[in-house]
Amino acid sequence: MTGPPDPIAGAWPRRTDRCLLRPVRASDLEAMLAYRGDPHVTEHLGHAPLSREEVRDRIDARLAGRDPGSGRVVRGVAIVVDGRCVGDAMLRLQPAPGEGGWQLWIGYALRPEMWGRGLATEVATELVGIAQDCGLPVWAETFAENLASQRVLEKAGLELVDEVLAEGRRCRIFAAGHPGSPVPAPPVPSR
């Protein structure tokens, strides 16, 4: 198997209708701490509220392109609206089981005041486009009770393919572009 493509090696920044997506920067620390340290936000994520040091470590890992614990390639993308970082997204490359290729797993987090505005759908759709640009199937997971995120993933072209138990919580797995799932529509060119 060849090494994975770097999902942030392409044309950046990328734009959606209302936001700019760019690789995370060290200067995003305060903005990310505001929501990554918020228990209301992290109840929907795979981690507890993060401290300043943990957010800094997360940014450093994304800048280096490595997830320290897993050795996977993980990149971070800042979600910027009106010049302000209001969230971030994850692009995690990992080997595809038994296929000899790679999968791109996506995830996102937004400040609570940005919820319910369709922004997550714009971001997720653009992340699916990044997977397509890399020629990779795209995967995402969400807790079973997080119906809003499931709707976002469906609107972005992913479909529910599995449900698993992880650390005592039911998680739903979504995918597109792999055998048995629909191939998402070609991405709209970035503006």
Side-chain angles (χ1 to χ4, degrees), residues 35 47 68 74 78-79 84 102 105 115 125 131 138 140-141 149-150 152-153 159 162 164 169 177-178:
Y35 57 90
H47 63 76
V74 181
I79 302 167
R84 182 174 145 228
W102 294 93
W105 287 73
W115 295 357
T125 301
V138 62
E141 61 190 339
S149 267
Q150 291 168 46
V152 165
L153 296 172
E159 75 171 11
D162 201 1
V164 298
R169 288 181 81 175
H178 76 95

Side-chain angles (χ1 to χ4, degrees), residues 1-4 10 20 26-27 29 49 55 64 72-73 82-83 88 96 109 120 163 167-168 178 183:
M1 170 173 34
T2 62
L20 175 122
S27 60
L29 176 65
V55 172
R72 299 175 184 143
V73 174
D82 297 328
D88 68 276
E163 189 168 306
E167 297 183 22
H178 76 95
V183 175

Side-chain angles (χ1 to χ4, degrees), residues 108 116 120-121 142 144-155:
Y108 55 86
T121 300
T142 183
E145 68 273 10
N146 191 347
L147 299 178
S149 267
Q150 291 168 46
R151 284 191 300 273
V152 165
L153 296 172
E154 289 167 346
K155 289 177 187 176

